[in-house]
Each structure stands twice: as structure tokens, then as C-alpha cells.
Amino acid sequence: MVGWIDVARVAVALNMALLVVLVAVWGRNYVQIRSKHTLGLLLFGVFLFGENAFALYFYLLDPLLADWFSTAVPDPAWQAMVVLHVLETVGLAVLAWVTWD
Amino acid sequence: MEAVLWYVLTSTRGGANRIRILKALDERPRNANKLSENLDLDYKTVRHHLDVLADNDIVVDSGDDYGAVYLPSDRVRNYWDTVEEIMEAAE
């Protein structure tokens, strides 16, 4: 049975995958082009990756929180969280699409 | 325009090669074939970069046939100090 928490986990994992692609492109560019702009995007990507890594850790591995999130949080609250994660996934997909050019 | 130049030239996968193409076109307008030879890039790759540059009004072409010669647009000429800043960072 797939619950809302699983949708959230998948969305967060996708965010991390998209950010790995973005950070790889921006990181390689920063090595070649040492500008404030390339460094800024690289740091932005790293911090947003960190945010998603923490989210996945809380939802999946944290001894206290993972259990609480999967059993004690009602569906309406999860649906609201899923909206946030999925909108971020769409936003990152668009950014990856223009950056891959 | 500054934001477009920074993104298209420094923050995308093909940015470094697009800087080389723009530099070559600033020295002397040329067609895709010549760019491909001079910069040792695949013809299809050059075509793709020229499309992206033209789409963002960074370069313009002299006509619409295959031998079309490309050159920096009037608009990018107005922001050439930004382009130079980018080229210096890329050296």
C-alpha cells in the first residue's frame, strides 16, 4: 500500500537526483569559469541538495521522526507536504532542462 | 540581457563552447562549417549552439540558407562589457 509519505519520499529523491545533475554542470563550469555567477549557482544547488537530503533523512532514517512521520501524521497534512515537494520537483526539472542545453 | 548572457554563456552545459563561438564571431563573422573547422567542434554541435545563441538574440545570421554567416547581434554589442567580463573569467 503506497501512502502519501511514499509520494513525498519519491519526490524528494527526484529533487536530489536533479540537483546532482545541476551541481555537476555548475561545478564543472565553475572550474572553467571562476565567476561569482557560477559560484553562486553552485552554492545554491549544494544548499538545496542539503535541504532535500535532510527531508529524506527525516522521512526515512531518523530513529524517532521516520517512525512518527509514517504512522502519526494524518493524510491531509501529508497531502499539503506533497504539494510542496512536487512543485519543487517540477521547478527543478525545468531548471535542469534549460541548464542541460 | 546581462542575466541571459551570464546564464547562457557560463551556467549551462554548453556554455564554454558558446563563449568560444561568440569570440570567433567577434573576430570575424563565419558560417557554421567554418566555425566547426576553426574550433574543432562537431558540425551538429555548432548548429545547436548557434540556435541557442540566436534564440537568445546574442547572434544573428545574414540569411536563412545553409551557408548563412553569423555575427554578434546589435543588442549584444550594447552589452559587450558584460561579454568581455565573461570571456576574461573563462580564460
Side-chain angles (χ1 to χ4, degrees):
Chain A
M1 140 106 202
V2 177
W4 286 104
I5 186 171
D6 299 307
V7 180
R9 284 167 176 162
V10 168
V12 169
L14 277 173
N15 290 348
M16 288 167 76
L18 287 164
L19 283 159
V20 165
V21 171
L22 287 166
V23 165
V25 172
W26 291 333
R28 201 200 57 177
N29 282 12
Y30 181 64
V31 170
Q32 292 175 316
I33 307 162
R34 293 198 172 273
S35 71
K36 190 173 97 175
H37 199 276
T38 46
L39 178 63
L41 286 167
L42 180 60
L43 290 174
F44 163 78
V46 167
F47 280 102
L48 203 58
F49 181 89
E51 183 219 3
N52 282 282
F54 271 111
L56 196 61
Y57 172 78
F58 296 145
Y59 293 169
L60 208 61
L61 299 170
D62 187 84
L64 178 70
L65 288 176
D67 183 48
W68 183 77
F69 273 127
S70 35
T71 56
V73 177
D75 272 358
W78 267 118
Q79 286 158 4
M81 292 304 291
V82 162
V83 168
L84 303 186
H85 292 308
V86 169
L87 283 175
E88 187 178 327
T89 307
V90 175
L92 286 170
V94 172
L95 192 56
W97 176 61
V98 301
T99 303
W100 194 248
D101 237 352
Chain B
M1 188 71 178
E2 282 106 330
V4 167
L5 285 169
W6 279 107
Y7 207 85
V8 170
L9 297 175
T10 74
S11 306
T12 50
R13 198 165 59 112
N17 279 330
R18 289 198 269 268
I19 293 173
R20 292 174 66 214
I21 288 171
L22 188 58
K23 210 174 190 151
L25 295 178
D26 173 45
E27 284 163 16
R28 177 163 47 88
R30 0 181 163 198
N31 64 29
N33 241 330
K34 270 272 174 286
L35 281 168
S36 162
E37 274 170 42
N38 298 158
L39 302 178
D40 197 22
L41 288 169
D42 181 68
Y43 176 80
K44 266 186 161 159
T45 306
V46 169
R47 280 247 56 98
H48 169 74
H49 289 321
L50 287 170
D51 288 343
V52 173
L53 289 167
D55 186 40
N56 287 282
D57 197 24
I58 295 168
V59 303
V60 288
D61 70 61
S62 59
D64 52 1
D65 57 336
Y66 273 102
V69 168
Y70 287 81
L71 62 156
S73 70
D74 289 342
R75 192 150 167 245
V76 88
R77 285 284 173 215
N78 291 329
Y79 292 90
W80 203 252
D81 51 346
T82 303
V83 173
E84 281 183 337
E85 199 184 328
I86 290 168
M87 283 177 180
E88 272 163 36
E91 266 160 19

